[in-house]
Amino acid sequence: MPFARNQWYVAAYGRDVGRELLARTILGEPLVLYRTEQGEAVALADRCVHRRYPLSESHLDGDNIVCGYHGFTYEPGGACVAVPGQKRIPRTARVRSYPVVEQDSFVWVWVGDREPGLSDSVPRAPWLANPAWRTVSGMEPLDARYELLVDNLLDLSHETYLHGGYIGTPEVAETPITTEVDEEAGIVRVSRRTDDAACPPFYAESTGITGRITRWQDIEYSAPCLYVLHSRIAPVGVLPGPDGEDDDAFHVEVVYAITPSTETTTYDFWAVARDFAQDDKDVSRVLHELNRTVVMQDVDALTVLEQVISSEPEGYQELSINIDTGGLAARRILEQLCSEGPRPRPATGNPPHAAHAHGRSGGADAGAGSGIRPAGATTP
């Protein structure tokens, strides 16, 4: 599948962009990122116009990058302001500057063939920058095409088999899902709600729950780049009150930013935000260690899958079943984005469970928008 170019993609966490030059390849284009002395994030093409030397292998002089090969110097807007051996600067001596937005702890870049417009909103993950939530996060490079990660995240039944002993239990694969597709907004929602399930170590060690749980998993995928899993965990029988109050439950927002690097490599940005035990460093450590373990299990599995797919002749016919409705809808939307160009997209909204509807998420209404097409309830 080609790339959907006229979209925002996560290039880095804000904490990783500083006065050291950072190289990233996004949608096949090499970029260099840094901060000016005033703290503004900058993204430029990572190739000097002179002899294509990587600017990420160069150095900063104030706010300017000085090429480490022949000294061509570029200001943050990409224009060359100095060349060696002459005062006249060639008119074409400039590198591309990419639009940048910092939001929700991410640095987003626009690697499109036009400038972003007013309708090109950056997807939201407000929990990651909300002081009422505590977040752990990381990034893992993936040697597989980004579509495989989208498929993986939209079908959580694999938790039972690939992540058993960490986040998966038998009930995840056994519970039917409901899928809803908003074609106009490019959003896929997949819900799985279990009344009585085993509590996996991921939640037992972070919440302290020792018995069985009520477990809600509500996915919201904003194509092509942002995935949010709204997770509600509570002891069996503990449900939101009639007024929507849900203080006796634990809420976790699992966020993935899926950024294609090349046709067969991907940046897998992940974050886990929680509304409980905010000051408990042990809980943060446990969630970071366990989630990174889960991410690396996905990375290993998808790397194997990429090798298999790359070695097979074209025309292989997959078998899809009910659990694949979300992933198939995402594939269809991605194909449309790649072929039709940009489309307006509302910001990622609140999770559908009641607690977040009462202000915990910091976002807009998840039901906002039009063109919603239910995909129907499915059975395992």
Side-chain angles (χ1 to χ4, degrees), residues 73-316:
T73 302
Y74 302 91
E75 52 86 31
C80 184
V81 295
V83 298
Q86 63 185 58
K87 293 183 178 180
R88 187 185 67 83
I89 299 172
R91 179 174 51 83
T92 57
R94 66 176 304 115
V95 296
R96 183 178 176 184
S97 174
Y98 297 86
V100 173
V101 170
E102 287 205 65
Q103 181 174 276
D104 302 332
S105 82
F106 291 130
V107 175
W108 297 81
V109 297
W110 180 274
V111 190
D113 51 20
R114 63 165 178 81
E115 290 297 306
L118 294 177
S119 63
D120 299 305
S121 60
V122 178
R124 295 304 309 272
W127 315 275
L128 306 188
N130 188 333
W133 294 72
R134 184 67 65 197
T135 301
V136 296
S137 58
M139 189 278 286
E140 298 299 333
L142 171 63
D143 287 330
R145 64 197 70 187
Y146 76 100
E147 303 99 309
L148 296 183
L149 183 55
V150 174
D151 263 359
N152 170 278
L153 293 172
L154 281 165
D155 175 18
L156 293 182
S157 67
H158 79 275
E159 288 185 346
T160 298
Y161 309 100
L162 188 59
H163 306 312
Y166 293 94
I167 192 68
T169 65
E171 295 83 5
V172 178
E174 294 168 359
T175 302
I177 63 171
T178 299
T179 304
E180 189 179 80
V181 183
D182 188 334
E183 299 278 1
E184 182 179 341
I187 294 176
V188 180
R189 298 182 178 92
V190 180
S191 292
R192 176 184 276 108
R193 297 189 173 188
T194 309
D195 294 331
D196 188 347
C199 187
F202 188 90
Y203 291 122
E205 295 184 28
S206 59
T207 67
I209 296 177
T210 57
R212 296 178 69 82
I213 60 173
T214 296
R215 184 176 183 181
W216 292 2
Q217 294 176 311
D218 297 309
I219 295 168
E220 187 174 8
Y221 169 63
S222 299
C225 50
L226 190 69
Y227 169 101
V228 180
L229 169 63
H230 311 294
S231 183
R232 178 191 185 274
I233 311 96
V236 168
V238 176
L239 298 172
D243 61 351
E245 184 275 328
D246 200 30
D247 288 342
D248 293 329
F250 301 87
H251 305 95
V252 175
E253 302 292 340
V254 182
V255 178
Y256 285 86
I258 305 164
T259 301
S261 179
T262 67
E263 291 182 353
T264 57
T265 59
T266 305
Y267 296 116
D268 183 356
F269 294 91
W270 60 268
V272 179
R274 67 184 189 274
D275 68 349
F276 59 92
Q278 286 95 335
D279 298 324
D280 194 321
K281 293 182 180 179
D282 287 337
V283 171
S284 293
R285 176 186 54 78
V286 165
L287 287 176
H288 188 279
E289 290 177 355
L290 290 178
N291 201 73
R292 187 177 184 276
T293 297
V294 168
V295 169
M296 292 308 300
Q297 289 175 330
D298 283 334
V299 166
D300 291 343
L302 297 181
T303 299
V304 170
L305 188 54
E306 175 64 40
Q307 294 170 349
V308 170
I309 293 173
S310 299
S311 66
E312 289 180 341
E314 294 184 6
Y316 177 81

